Amino acid sequence: MARGNEVSSMEVDEGKTAANSPKFSINVLQLLKSAQMQHGLRHRDYTRYRRYCTARLRRLYKSLKFTHGRGKYVKKAITESTVTEVRFLHILLYMSERAWSHAMEKRHLPDGPNSRQRIYLLGRLRKAVKWAALFAQLCATKGDSRSSLEAEAYASYMKGTLLFEQDQNWKTALMNFRKARDVYEELGKYGSIENQVLCRERVEELEPSIRYCLHKVGESDLQTSELMDIGEVEGPALDLFKAKLEAVMAEARSQQAASMTEFYWLGHRFPINNAKTRVSILKAQELEKDLHGPAADALPAEKKLSMFDKIFSAYHEARACIRSDLASAGNADNVKIDLNGLDKAVSASLGQRTIERNQLLISIAKTKFTKQRDEKGEKITKPEELVRLYDLQIQNSTDLYDLVSSQRNMNQEEDSFSKEYELKGLAFRAERCFFLAKSYSFAGKRAEAYALFRHAGNLADEVLKKLQVATNPDQALIKDLKILSDNCRSNCCIEHATGIMEEEKIPEKLSKGVSTMSLAGPEKKEEKYLLEKLDLYESAIGEAGTKSVPCIERFPPPFQAVPCNPIVLDIAYSSIEFPSLENRMKKDKKGIFSRLWG
């Protein structure tokens, strides 16, 4: 009976201890976000972040005196009874983050993970899931309600990431991603503004993975070509999704490129035998469709510039494959002719896209050039920058014209293409001349600006006459040239009037300047230096942001009179009688021969 009472009292004491134990609070999302952004993941440097997690774990082990022995490794497990501080929960979290970042490091290798590295990658993700599950389990008992919810969402995300990488059990992956999203949606309604923003960003990062899982399960009518529009949100949670999506799109392009056997350009058909060349050209053509499609006007300028960069990389890859095929072609003349023609066609397409990209940059620069004042802190474009951009346009259009017109027998399409870019080159020259005149106008050189405006207007009128005779003129180019011609006329009038006004004001300025002249010269303000105003509380350096010369001490110092040594005239020297010193002088000894012949 006494034994039973003793056991019951022990159970009551344990219950009281468990009830009175403090609940730890840990803001999982904010802690991870700050650590990731400060230690490498802002620039997708997973190696740096993994090393940070390792160093952080070492510091936690040492501060908690939870080391695993010296010499021989003795594993210490973290259980519910072990967690007496919140830093024990940090150990589990950073263990999971270290394993996850190591897996992502292998996933983002330059050539992709091979079979051995992929096995290691999956092993590290399993470790991350294991530590995240233990972290969620201990937070449920040792943490408060918000910490428990965040830990549960983190564990669900890690499990979904593992299944996502394994390409299997998409329903379970979808369930875990949805669970994490629902938790973050609820947490985003409460707490501080910073926590709410972080939760909403996390929901946006999880949304593409959920849509992709729905696509794989078959519950979504999303096409494979539309998947690239999903991952527009940036964040570490999307890196695995983007790598997977790029692999899927590459596979879809390779399947589509199997039916692509020729490249059509200006009436010529060039056979494509290399599979890598077909995939690269197909990728560039898909991006070109997006750029010139009906939804192109709604795309922001930054998005268009990134798409142009992808087109350039695709065409450069295609040219590299063509050049390697040319090097290995040997003496097969027919193959060399086809490869040279394909290389010429790809180079011409690359030149066209380069001109389009520069035209986009020019349109962005023109919008900033027309602003009278800078309200948003943006830098206003100078006319010299537009002159440089038009220099590039002239060079690119000349190269493209030379490339197409270099062959002897040109067909009708090639002839019209070369004439089109010849006229575009003249239009670019007129635009360049206009902005060069603007730069002279801003510098106050009225005569030069007037002459350049007249020349730009003449060039624009000449191109307009040639475009009106052409069969299929570019209406957008005609509109721009008409605007340019009108601007040149108005600026010519402005420069002429301004020059006359300045000429009329020259005598007045001269007479005013002569009347204010004086022989005494301009009055200089007396400057006091630091040693002369020690009793005043004034700075000798000047205010911040001003270009005033510091008044510490005069340099070089002024000349000062220096006393010289007195001149002494020694007039008593001639009247002094000095004693004879012959008795002290040494006498020469004479020998026998000197005595005889003296």
Side-chain angles (χ1 to χ4, degrees):
M1 188 69 183
R3 180 66 177 173
N5 293 335
E6 185 180 352
V7 172
S8 61
S9 63
M10 288 175 63
E11 290 176 354
V12 170
D13 292 338
E14 288 178 1
K16 288 181 180 180
T17 306
N20 296 328
S21 61
K23 294 289 185 179
F24 301 116
S25 177
I26 175 171
N27 198 331
V28 180
L29 194 56
Q30 187 174 1
L31 179 66
L32 291 182
K33 198 71 174 180
S34 61
Q36 290 173 356
M37 291 297 105
Q38 293 176 14
H39 299 93
L41 291 200
R42 188 185 297 273
H43 307 290
R44 304 296 182 265
D45 190 355
Y46 288 98
T47 305
R48 180 184 166 194
Y49 183 60
R50 175 176 60 83
R51 289 172 179 168
Y52 163 73
C53 292
T54 304
R56 178 67 178 153
L57 284 169
R58 188 182 298 114
R59 291 195 297 269
L60 286 170
Y61 282 134
K62 192 171 182 180
S63 62
L64 290 170
K65 298 181 180 179
F66 195 68
T67 54
H68 302 283
R70 287 192 174 185
K72 186 179 179 181
Y73 178 80
V74 180
K75 183 179 179 181
K76 289 185 178 181
I78 298 179
T79 59
E80 186 178 344
S81 59
T82 311
V83 181
T84 57
E85 290 187 35
V86 72
R87 287 180 290 175
F88 285 101
L89 298 177
H90 286 191
I91 289 176
L92 298 174
L93 181 60
Y94 281 107
M95 288 290 283
S96 179
E97 282 290 292
R98 180 175 66 174
W100 170 78
S101 59
H102 202 174
M104 297 299 290
E105 178 186 347
K106 297 296 181 185
R107 192 69 181 84
H108 287 79
L109 290 173
D111 298 330
N114 54 31
S115 57
R116 186 181 295 273
Q117 289 168 343
R118 180 169 169 75
I119 292 170
Y120 185 78
L121 183 154
L122 292 173
R124 296 307 296 166
L125 281 179
R126 289 191 188 96
K127 282 284 187 182
V129 171
K130 171 192 168 184
W131 290 113
L134 182 58
F135 173 66
Q137 177 186 347
L138 291 180
C139 281
T141 57
K142 290 291 186 177
D144 56 8
S145 57
R146 183 183 178 90
S147 302
S148 177
L149 278 174
E150 284 200 58
E152 193 67 32
Y154 178 75
S156 299
Y157 165 71
M158 279 296 172
K159 191 171 182 182
T161 302
L162 173 62
L163 297 173
F164 193 91
E165 178 62 30
Q166 286 177 337
D167 284 337
Q168 61 184 10
N169 209 348
W170 292 102
K171 288 186 178 180
T172 311
L174 177 63
M175 181 184 67
N176 282 280
F177 282 135
R178 277 179 169 172
K179 183 179 178 181
R181 183 193 62 182
D182 295 341
V183 170
Y184 286 124
E185 281 181 348
E186 290 298 321
L187 291 176
K189 299 176 183 177
Y190 311 102
S192 62
I193 300 297
E194 185 180 1
N195 285 332
Q196 292 179 21
V197 171
L198 287 176
C199 290
R200 288 169 193 159
E201 289 178 357
R202 196 66 165 183
V203 169
E204 292 177 359
E205 291 175 7
L206 288 169
E207 195 63 35
S209 300
I210 293 172
R211 293 182 64 186
Y212 185 80
C213 291
L214 285 171
H215 171 71
K216 297 297 287 186
V217 170
E219 297 180 8
S220 174
D221 56 352
L222 195 66
Q223 299 297 323
T224 307
S225 59
E226 300 173 4
L227 287 172
M228 291 301 291
D229 298 333
I230 300 176
E232 297 300 324
V233 184
E234 295 292 334
L238 278 173
D239 287 346
L240 186 62
F241 164 74
K242 288 183 178 179
K244 180 73 68 176
L245 191 58
E246 190 63 33
V248 171
M249 294 302 295
E251 184 180 354
R253 285 194 198 102
S254 61
Q255 292 175 0
Q256 189 178 354
S259 60
M260 181 183 179
T261 57
E262 292 177 336
F263 183 70
Y264 181 80
W265 179 74
L266 296 181
H268 297 283
R269 294 183 181 276
F270 302 103
I272 308 174
N273 299 320
N274 195 332
K276 291 183 178 179
T277 308
R278 287 199 295 266
V279 170
S280 299
I281 292 175
L282 186 64
K283 180 180 178 181
Q285 288 177 347
E286 287 178 357
L287 291 167
E288 287 173 359
K289 288 179 183 177
D290 295 337
L291 272 176
H292 302 108
D297 296 334
L299 291 174
E302 292 79 8
K303 175 67 175 175
K304 288 183 179 180
L305 290 174
S306 65
M307 292 175 73
F308 273 119
D309 292 339
K310 292 177 183 177
I311 290 172
F312 294 157
S313 64
Y315 275 130
H316 282 304
E317 288 174 5
R319 289 184 66 188
C321 294
I322 294 168
R323 301 287 169 84
S324 63
D325 290 342
L326 271 171
S328 60
N331 297 324
D333 293 336
N334 294 330
V335 177
K336 281 189 173 182
I337 291 171
D338 292 336
L339 287 173
N340 282 321
L342 182 60
D343 183 43
K344 180 179 177 180
V346 171
S347 301
S349 300
L350 182 60
Q352 285 180 276
R353 302 294 89 77
T354 305
I355 290 174
E356 290 175 5
R357 179 183 180 273
N358 290 340
Q359 198 63 37
L360 177 62
L361 292 174
I362 286 170
S363 63
I364 296 171
K366 279 184 177 180
T367 56
K368 295 181 180 179
F369 178 75
T370 54
K371 290 181 179 179
Q372 297 297 325
R373 58 184 179 182
D374 196 4
E375 296 179 354
K376 297 182 180 179
E378 296 179 357
K379 185 180 179 182
I380 297 176
T381 304
K382 296 181 180 179
E384 291 83 2
E385 298 177 17
L386 283 160
V387 171
R388 182 183 60 82
L389 287 173
Y390 276 112
D391 281 333
L392 294 175
Q393 288 291 72
I394 293 168
Q395 184 63 41
N396 291 329
S397 59
T398 305
D399 293 342
L400 195 55
Y401 172 77
D402 294 339
L403 180 67
V404 177
S405 61
S406 59
Q407 61 185 15
R408 296 179 181 177
N409 300 321
M410 291 194 299
N411 57 19
Q412 187 178 359
E413 292 185 17
E414 289 174 336
D415 187 45
S416 61
F417 184 86
S418 59
K419 287 181 179 178
E420 177 188 353
Y421 277 90
E422 184 181 8
L423 292 176
K424 282 188 176 181
L426 290 174
F428 294 149
R429 288 179 187 276
E431 294 274 4
R432 178 189 179 277
C433 190
F434 175 80
F435 286 103
L436 187 62
K438 279 286 186 182
S439 65
Y440 275 100
S441 176
F442 290 167
K445 298 180 179 180
R446 305 299 171 191
E448 292 86 349
Y450 177 80
L452 287 170
F453 279 128
R454 288 291 299 272
H455 184 59
N458 293 335
L459 284 174
D461 294 337
E462 180 185 352
V463 179
L464 276 172
K465 290 178 182 178
K466 291 183 179 180
L467 282 172
Q468 289 172 359
V469 181
T471 54
N472 293 319
D474 189 353
Q475 297 299 326
L477 183 60
I478 291 174
K479 183 180 177 182
D480 291 341
L481 286 171
K482 286 181 178 179
I483 295 172
L484 176 63
S485 180
D486 295 338
N487 288 336
C488 287
R489 290 193 190 97
S490 61
N491 279 279
C492 279
C493 297
I494 292 170
E495 292 300 323
H496 193 190
T498 308
I500 293 173
M501 290 172 62
E502 289 178 354
E503 287 288 337
E504 292 291 332
K505 289 181 179 179
I506 286 176
E508 182 183 350
K509 288 182 180 179
L510 185 61
S511 62
K512 185 178 180 180
V514 170
S515 63
T516 56
M517 290 176 62
S518 64
L519 296 176
E523 296 182 0
K524 291 185 178 180
K525 185 180 179 181
E526 185 179 357
E527 294 180 351
K528 289 187 176 182
Y529 291 89
L530 181 62
L531 292 177
E532 299 173 1
K533 53 180 181 180
L534 293 176
D535 55 336
L536 302 176
Y537 191 73
E538 293 181 3
S539 174
I541 299 175
E543 297 180 0
T546 60
K547 296 183 179 179
S548 59
V549 180
C551 298
I552 299 174
E553 183 56 50
R554 288 186 179 89
F555 187 83
F559 290 102
Q560 294 180 358
V562 179
C564 60
N565 295 327
I567 300 172
V568 179
L569 298 176
D570 197 353
I571 58 177
Y573 181 79
S574 57
S575 59
I576 297 175
E577 295 183 1
F578 296 99
S580 177
L581 300 175
E582 291 182 358
N583 58 347
R584 295 186 181 184
M585 295 176 62
K586 188 177 179 181
K587 296 180 179 180
D588 296 334
K589 293 182 180 181
K590 297 183 178 181
I592 188 171
F593 295 103
S594 61
R595 290 176 185 175
L596 293 175
W597 286 283

